[in-house]
């Protein structure tokens, strides 16, 4: 054994040095277990503020832990390097002091009389030095590979995921609508899962703050994809901070404004179509729920009147809240918002802001009172004045309400070519009673309206909107509503926007065959 | 500030990968393991 050591002393010193270098490096990693500096959400926030302009909504960058490879990995590597330098300096201190600086006896004595000692020690420390730094550079390369992958492969995955989310948003009409302030936003704010934190996250998307998972300032993890987070986190409106229903920003959200002249039958039509939709859903065992108390109360009252065959009351000039309902449960639920406004609001500039829902609606319903058409009124006045009295004829020319809404939409820069319009000729039951034959096919209804003098309205609507279908509905006397189902226009609009509504396919095919 | 779990997890992963590579190189140097063909005695000699 002794002879082996004597004959292979230098080799043993080198081998021991190699092993010790590995231990040395492992020891330097110990610094990662201590409280080394962290790149905190606050640091990220302050850094982002330099290039982020906070708008009037006072929404700043999100306070989130950035992904490890972004900064923390480099900070960890620097700490390990610093620690390794200190350890190597410690290791070299005694040999350097002894063999090169002469602090532990004369140097010549070490190098001439005890040559094997400095040689073995220096071989040991040299091997340890090389191994520890080789190990560090392997660690450096691993971190670099992490960062490189993050900036190339993972970054492209993030772009792909963001694109997929955006495509889903556009194709499924998932923009979140707040029924409190009528603000529509592509992505609402999602709040941290931790009830003690509840921090809002306004830019929840796959990013350097997390590709699939995001870590809030409080450390709580949640999905970084809005299509997944919407079903787990609380969503709020970015403008009024009101709470949105679960799934907002990820489920189909269709807004249907109903417009028309005063006494055209908008409110009646709205509740009659809602009644038809609810009945069809019940038959198909599809759960229907109202999204807020005001919707529930208004709908219950309206549906009660419709089912009892009573007249609906006139919409107050100050307007009424939208009716928001949810079809189905779970991830394939759909939100539907029905808007109604008093006819006076369309012709009064005072209510301009109250009609903001017109600009955000994807599917419009124009309710046209046939008795407001001069030619029809002339026919009925002589032959059947009682019908005319029962009709509560709309106040203005049928084209005025249409023109006001279309002009407003155009003025707001809304592309009408992307919207669908259902032109609903109301009071079909009264037309029957007056002895006027009422068509049920869209092209026949359009032809009849042209014959009655509404050539401009019919041609303009066909030219301006992406898709126009004409309907005749009987909302009061359901016994005569054969072929004039008030639910048909709503089902057509919803089905055209991808809502799996009962009877929707039939409504679509009926409209396309017209 | 408490270090979040995901940072600790990432540190463990990076260190583990680095140590694995080092161990494989060391083993390869003595002719054991997948890197022995590169670093071992049987590896092709490069240089002068």
């Amino acid at each position: 054994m002794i002879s082996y050591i004597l004959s292979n002393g230098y080799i043993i010193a080198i081998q021991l040095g190699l092993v010790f270098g590995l231990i040395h490096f492992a020891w330097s990693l110990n610094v990662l277990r201590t409280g080394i500096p962290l790149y905190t959400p606050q640091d990220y926030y302050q850094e982002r503020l330099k290039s982020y302009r906070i708008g009037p909504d006072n929404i700043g960058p999100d306070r989130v832990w950035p992904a490890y490879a972004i900064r923390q990995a480099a900070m960890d590597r620097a700490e390990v390097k610093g620690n390794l330098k200190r350890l190597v300096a410690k290791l070299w201190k005694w040999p350097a002091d002894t063999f090169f600086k002469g602090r532990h006896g004369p140097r010549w004595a070490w190098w001439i009389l005890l040559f094997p000692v400095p040689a073995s020690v220096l071989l040991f420390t040299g091997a340890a030095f090389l191994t520890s730094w080789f190990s560090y550079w392997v660690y450096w390369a691993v971190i670099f590979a992490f960062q490189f992958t993050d900036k190339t492969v993972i970054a492209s995955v993030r772009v792909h995921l963001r694109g997929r989310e955006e495509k889903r948003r556009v194709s499924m009409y998932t923009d979140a609508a707040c029924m409190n302030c009528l603000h529509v936003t592509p992505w609402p704010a999602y709040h941290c899962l931790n009830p003690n934190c509840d921090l809002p996250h306004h830019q929840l998307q796959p990013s350097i703050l997390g590709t699939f998972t995001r870590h809030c300032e409080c450390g709580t993890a949640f999905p970084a994809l809005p299509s997944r987070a919407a079903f787990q986190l609380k969503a709020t409106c970015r403008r009024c901070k009101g709470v949105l229903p679960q799934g907002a920003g990820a489920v189909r959200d269709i807004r249907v404004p109903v417009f028309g002249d005063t006494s055209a039958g908008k409110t009646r039509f709205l509740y009659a179509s809602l009644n038809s939709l609810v009945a069809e859903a019940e038959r198909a065992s599809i759960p229907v729920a109202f999204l807020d108390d005001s919707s529930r109360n208004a709908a219950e009252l309206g549906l009660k009147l419709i089912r009892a065959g009573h007249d609906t009351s006139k919409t107050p000039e100050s307007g009424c809240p939208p009716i928001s309902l949810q079809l189905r449960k779970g991830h394939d639920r759909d939100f539907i918002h029905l808007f109604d406004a008093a006819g006076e609001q369309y012709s009064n500039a005072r209510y301009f802001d109250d009609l903001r829902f017109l600009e955000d609606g994807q599917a419009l319903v124009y309710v046209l009172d046939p008795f407001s058409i001069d030619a029809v009124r002339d026919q009925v006045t002589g032959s059947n004045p009682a019908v005319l009295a029962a009709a509560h004829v709309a106040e203005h020319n049928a084209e005025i309400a249409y023109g006001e809404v279309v002009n407003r939409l155009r003025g707001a820069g809304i592309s009408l070519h992307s919207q669908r319009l259902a032109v609903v000729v109301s009071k079909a039951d009264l037309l029957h009673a007056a002895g006027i034959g009422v068509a049920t096919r869209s092209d026949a209804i359009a032809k009849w309206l042209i014959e009655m003098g509404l050539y401009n309205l019919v041609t303009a609507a066909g030219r301006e909107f992406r898709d126009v279908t004409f309907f005749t509905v009987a909302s009061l006397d359901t016994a005569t509503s054969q072929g004039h189902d008030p639910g048909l226009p709503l089902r057509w609009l919803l089905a055209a926007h991808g809502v799996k509504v009962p009877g929707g396919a039939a409504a679509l095919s009926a409209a396309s065959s017209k | 500030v408490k270090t979040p779990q995901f940072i600790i997890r990432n540190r463990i992963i990076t260190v583990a990968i680095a140590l694995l590579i080092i161990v494989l190189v060391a083993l390869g140097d003595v002719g054991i393991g997948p890197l022995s063909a590169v670093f071992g005695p049987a590896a092709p000699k490069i240089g002068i």
Side-chain angles (χ1 to χ4, degrees):
Chain A
M1 179 75 178
I2 292 168
S3 63
Y4 176 79
I5 292 172
L6 288 174
S7 57
N8 297 289
Y10 296 139
I11 301 292
I12 290 169
I14 291 170
Q15 285 174 340
L16 284 175
L18 292 173
V19 173
F20 188 78
L22 206 57
I23 295 166
H24 222 187
F25 169 69
W27 189 252
S28 71
L29 291 172
N30 207 29
V31 74
L32 296 176
R33 293 175 59 196
T34 60
I36 58 170
L38 290 170
Y39 187 64
T40 62
Q42 187 60 28
D43 297 332
Y44 169 78
Y45 181 81
Q46 293 299 339
E47 198 175 303
R48 284 281 288 126
L49 270 186
K50 291 172 189 167
S51 60
Y52 193 101
R53 219 179 98 216
I54 294 179
D57 53 6
N58 208 25
I59 294 172
D62 286 347
R63 292 170 190 267
V64 186
W65 285 94
Y68 180 69
I70 302 302
R71 287 291 167 80
Q72 192 59 49
M75 287 168 74
D76 285 359
R77 194 168 59 188
E79 287 293 326
V80 169
K81 188 179 181 183
N83 199 32
L84 186 62
K85 266 186 182 171
R86 279 191 294 277
L87 289 174
V88 168
K90 250 187 206 173
L91 180 70
W92 276 94
K93 189 171 185 325
W94 187 84
D97 285 352
T98 307
F99 307 133
F100 300 112
K101 294 176 184 169
R103 288 181 187 166
H104 302 289
R107 277 181 293 176
W108 61 265
W110 286 106
W111 286 105
I112 295 169
L113 300 177
L114 297 166
F115 178 75
V117 175
S120 303
V121 169
L122 289 176
L123 283 172
F124 171 83
T125 48
F129 173 85
L130 289 174
T131 314
S132 57
W133 279 106
F134 168 76
S135 303
Y136 168 76
W137 286 113
V138 170
Y139 175 65
W140 181 94
V142 171
I143 296 271
F144 177 79
F146 258 60
Q147 291 171 324
F148 182 77
T149 311
D150 189 78
K151 284 178 182 167
T152 52
V153 180
I154 308 290
S156 64
V157 170
R158 286 183 197 128
V159 170
H160 172 74
L161 288 174
R162 280 203 298 273
R164 208 175 65 174
E165 287 290 308
E166 178 66 15
K167 192 176 169 188
R168 184 181 184 279
R169 182 183 73 79
V170 173
S171 63
M172 281 187 64
Y173 307 97
T174 65
D175 285 4
C178 171
M179 289 302 113
N180 185 33
C181 66
L182 301 181
H183 180 59
V184 176
T185 175
W187 314 106
Y190 293 105
H191 289 245
C192 176
L193 270 177
N194 182 354
N196 297 327
C197 172
D198 203 39
L199 191 74
H201 294 257
H202 294 96
Q203 293 104 23
L204 189 68
Q205 285 287 336
S207 66
I208 60 165
L209 301 176
T211 307
F212 296 101
T213 308
R214 175 180 270 223
H215 296 86
C216 179
E217 191 176 31
C218 70
T220 309
F222 51 84
L225 294 164
S227 58
R228 286 173 60 204
F231 297 102
Q232 297 178 29
L233 311 182
K234 182 180 87 180
T236 55
C237 172
R238 293 168 71 100
R239 179 175 287 171
C240 74
K241 318 298 178 201
V243 178
L244 300 176
Q246 195 186 48
V251 301
R252 211 178 294 274
D253 191 303
I254 307 297
R255 297 166 293 281
V256 185
V258 179
F259 70 98
D261 196 8
T262 310
S263 297
K266 300 183 293 297
T267 308
R268 181 95 205 161
F269 163 76
L270 189 145
Y271 288 114
S273 62
L274 181 64
N275 183 43
S276 172
L277 183 71
V278 170
E280 287 278 354
E282 275 174 6
R283 268 196 290 278
S285 303
I286 294 173
V288 179
F290 292 97
L291 293 175
D292 50 60
D293 289 339
S294 67
S295 294
R296 191 178 303 107
N297 296 338
E300 279 173 3
L301 185 66
L303 293 179
K304 202 172 150 188
L305 290 172
I306 291 289
R307 285 165 188 169
H310 293 155
D311 254 338
T312 46
S313 54
K314 190 192 169 317
T315 309
E317 199 175 320
S318 55
C320 59
I323 293 179
S324 303
L325 64 145
Q326 172 187 307
L327 278 185
R328 277 178 294 277
K329 288 177 179 170
H331 285 212
D332 64 342
R333 72 187 81 166
D334 297 305
F335 294 155
I336 299 161
H337 310 280
L338 303 172
F339 297 90
D340 181 25
E344 295 88 348
Q345 290 191 330
Y346 294 101
S347 50
N348 193 335
R350 192 151 60 94
Y351 297 111
F352 189 84
D353 285 342
D354 295 344
L355 299 176
R356 271 192 50 213
F357 59 81
L358 285 170
E359 294 161 20
D360 295 313
Q362 302 106 320
L364 295 160
V365 178
Y366 170 52
V367 180
L368 192 159
D369 180 1
F371 295 99
S372 68
I373 305 169
D374 293 340
V376 176
R377 211 168 39 237
D378 291 346
Q379 278 184 38
V380 180
T381 307
S383 62
N384 209 335
V387 170
L388 201 60
H392 304 295
V393 180
E395 291 175 0
H396 302 109
N397 184 303
E399 289 176 338
I400 290 177
Y402 173 84
E404 278 166 356
V405 170
V406 167
N407 285 339
R408 178 191 171 114
L409 293 177
R410 257 202 229 110
I414 310 291
S415 169
L416 297 179
H417 283 290
S418 64
Q419 300 207 340
R420 290 182 174 87
L421 175 72
V423 177
V424 173
V425 178
S426 60
K427 305 174 187 175
D429 44 348
L430 291 174
L431 285 174
H432 273 294
I436 298 173
V438 185
T440 54
R441 288 172 35 144
S442 178
D443 52 359
I445 299 166
K447 193 178 166 198
W448 179 71
L449 288 174
I450 289 171
E451 284 168 6
M452 292 296 115
L454 295 186
Y455 175 83
N456 286 345
L457 189 147
V458 173
T459 51
R463 199 175 51 239
E464 285 162 341
F465 285 87
R466 173 183 175 182
D467 207 353
V468 180
T469 302
F470 294 84
F471 299 88
T472 46
V473 302
S475 307
L476 189 62
D477 185 359
T478 48
T480 59
S481 69
Q482 284 294 335
H484 306 300
D485 179 7
L488 201 59
L490 184 60
R491 286 204 294 276
W492 171 69
L493 285 171
L494 294 177
H497 286 89
V499 178
K500 288 180 207 139
V501 60
L508 269 182
S509 60
S512 62
S513 66
K514 284 174 178 178
Chain B
V1 181
K2 198 181 160 199
T3 310
Q5 206 59 38
F6 84 97
I7 290 184
I8 296 171
R9 200 169 51 238
N10 277 292
R11 281 174 179 166
I12 291 170
I13 291 168
T14 47
V15 167
I17 292 172
L19 290 178
L20 181 72
I21 294 169
I22 293 161
V23 169
L24 285 176
V25 169
L27 288 174
D29 195 44
V30 292
I32 304 167
L35 296 184
S36 60
V38 184
F39 298 107
K45 300 286 176 287
I46 302 168
I48 301 163

